[in-house]
Amino acid sequence: MIAHYNAQDADAYVALMTDDACEAGYRGAVLREGKEGVRAGLKAMFAEFPENRAEIIQGWQLGDTAVLYEKVWRSAAAEPFEVMSIYSFEGDKCSRMEFVR
């Protein structure tokens, strides 16, 4: 998923998600709902930040959950920010992502 994110390929990214997947703040409000909501949100973000990229610093997996510690750059000149991303899976598809910032 991160490779598709860094390639700014929203279509390939959401192909790895369930139809009702969502992105949300950690234990909070849903930011992007459904595969189409995630696709639209990513395309808008990639248009606004064409140099956007994420680097995985460390990752963990337990059962159907993966947690990634990432650094994200909006542009080559911007200071990166850190995020913990929690990915929940149903089979081989991601069903929910929560972000801690």
Side-chain angles (χ1 to χ4, degrees):
M1 290 183 84
I2 295 296
H4 296 313
Y5 179 89
N6 285 337
Q8 297 198 357
D9 188 343
D11 296 323
Y13 184 89
V14 300
L16 301 173
M17 302 176 80
T18 62
D19 289 338
D20 63 346
C22 68
E23 294 182 335
Y26 179 64
R27 299 178 67 178
V30 171
L31 307 169
R32 300 175 181 150
E33 193 161 349
K35 189 185 270 189
E36 295 310 314
V38 173
R39 181 191 327 269
L42 286 176
K43 286 187 175 195
M45 184 184 62
F46 295 154
E48 183 176 355
F49 302 106
E51 297 179 280
N52 188 79
R53 68 180 175 86
E55 177 184 324
I56 299 170
I57 305 302
Q58 197 163 2
W60 302 267
Q61 189 235 333
L62 180 62
D64 292 335
T65 304
V67 178
L68 301 179
Y69 166 47
E70 306 171 40
K71 278 194 178 177
V72 179
W73 288 262
R74 293 295 189 217
S75 73
E79 286 293 317
F81 61 89
E82 297 175 325
V83 63
M84 294 291 289
S85 303
I86 304 161
Y87 295 78
S88 300
F89 287 84
E90 294 177 11
D92 63 348
K93 301 279 184 173
C94 184
S95 59
R96 183 176 178 92
M97 287 171 279
E98 293 185 76
F99 303 105
V100 180
R101 273 186 70 178

